[in-house]
Amino acid sequence: EAAVTQSPRNKVTVTGGNVTLSCRQTNSHNYMYWYRQDTGHGLRLIHYSYGAGNLQIGDVPDGYKATRTTQEDFFLLLELASPSQTSLYFCASSDGQISNERLFFGHGTKLSVL
Amino acid sequence: QEKVQQSPESLIVPEGAMSSLNCTFSNSASQSIWWYQQHPGKGPEALISIFSNGNKKEGRLTVYLNRASLHVSLHIRDSQPSDSAVYLCAVKRPSGSWQLIFGSGTQLTVMP
């Protein structure tokens, strides 16, 4: 079973603060994704990557940076956090093969920006 | 931009009943369509996917896809309290990139 681990599970910061959310997957998946989940909006794609050093922009990228340092590790950076970024953040990974499109999600990081 | 809409927002059924969830999408060229289940405090987990028109059955789950009407439905036979969760419909973009666009979900509650 694919494993995706996110840290921290909960984070509280102040407006203007710096936040880094971490994600590690241990199944050698090519693709990794960052989503945010908000009531009424469902899951919205922030950034994704198809390999170390690669970054692709999703649907709601403003205010977020991301970096894929290795096959396993994908980070989401909020350099000047704002209250509108209070949300539940999910990392996911997938094989990226047509025969296996399934996404595997982590347990999420709850971020509060005061 | 592709849109995925789900209905109803919430559904309450008695134990043993059939649960029926609906999803409409905006682009007939969308590729595979997925249903995910999300329990409180957990990440979504994939349940079942469909690509071709028609239906697909796995255990108590049946999915129906009609691309002409841009509609997909999920039916859970013999619903159990453990099925209580949020169900998310997700559509793979037709652009060739590996992106899933999610609906806002249906909260299913199965009453014992």
Side-chain angles (χ1 to χ4, degrees):
Chain A
E1 181 75 8
V4 180
T5 304
Q6 293 183 236
S7 62
R9 291 294 298 270
N10 292 281
K11 176 72 177 179
V12 180
T13 190
V14 295
T15 299
N18 287 347
V19 176
T20 298
L21 307 184
S22 302
C23 177
R24 167 165 283 197
Q25 56 96 3
T26 58
N27 288 277
S28 300
H29 283 169
N30 296 315
Y31 282 76
M32 296 186 74
Y33 311 80
W34 279 106
Y35 284 90
R36 61 177 289 174
Q37 186 174 38
D38 305 285
T39 303
H41 290 280
L43 284 159
R44 291 181 290 175
L45 182 64
I46 304 171
H47 290 297
Y48 68 103
S49 165
Y50 56 73
N54 175 265
L55 181 65
Q56 302 293 317
I57 294 173
D59 296 320
V60 289
D62 292 347
Y64 301 97
K65 293 184 179 180
T67 181
R68 180 91 175 267
T69 54
T70 65
Q71 178 92 5
E72 294 79 20
D73 297 304
F74 195 30
F75 300 92
L76 186 67
L77 296 81
L78 292 72
E79 294 184 332
L80 288 172
S82 72
S84 64
Q85 294 177 307
T86 293
S87 187
L88 182 57
Y89 291 86
F90 286 101
C91 176
S93 72
S94 71
D95 190 272
Q97 302 298 318
I98 291 176
S99 60
N100 188 7
E101 301 173 326
R102 176 183 173 185
L103 262 63
F104 294 86
F105 284 86
H107 281 226
T109 294
K110 185 176 180 181
L111 174 66
S112 297
V113 183
L114 306 178
Chain B
Q1 188 169 0
E2 293 87 354
K3 290 186 178 179
V4 178
Q5 295 187 312
Q6 294 186 240
S7 63
E9 286 188 13
S10 65
L11 178 65
I12 302 173
V13 301
E15 184 174 355
M18 176 78 79
S19 299
S20 297
L21 293 71
N22 298 294
C23 175
T24 58
F25 49 98
S26 59
N27 191 331
S28 62
S30 297
Q31 298 179 5
S32 54
I33 297 156
W34 288 79
W35 286 93
Y36 282 75
Q37 179 191 58
Q38 186 177 19
H39 284 107
K42 300 286 183 65
E45 290 190 26
L47 286 178
I48 189 169
S49 67
I50 190 165
F51 179 80
S52 301
N53 264 338
N55 66 78
K56 180 178 180 179
K57 185 175 180 180
E58 290 185 0
R60 294 187 294 116
L61 306 179
T62 302
V63 181
Y64 293 93
L65 172 60
N66 184 329
R67 287 194 183 277
S69 62
L70 303 176
H71 181 263
V72 60
S73 60
L74 172 68
H75 304 266
I76 306 173
R77 175 178 55 84
D78 187 24
S79 299
Q80 300 297 309
S82 58
D83 295 328
S84 296
V86 173
Y87 289 79
L88 300 166
C89 175
V91 174
K92 184 169 176 284
R93 277 198 161 121
S95 63
S97 63
W98 295 93
Q99 299 178 44
L100 283 184
I101 308 304
F102 285 82
S104 55
T106 292
Q107 172 69 60
L108 173 65
T109 303
V110 182
M111 303 296 291

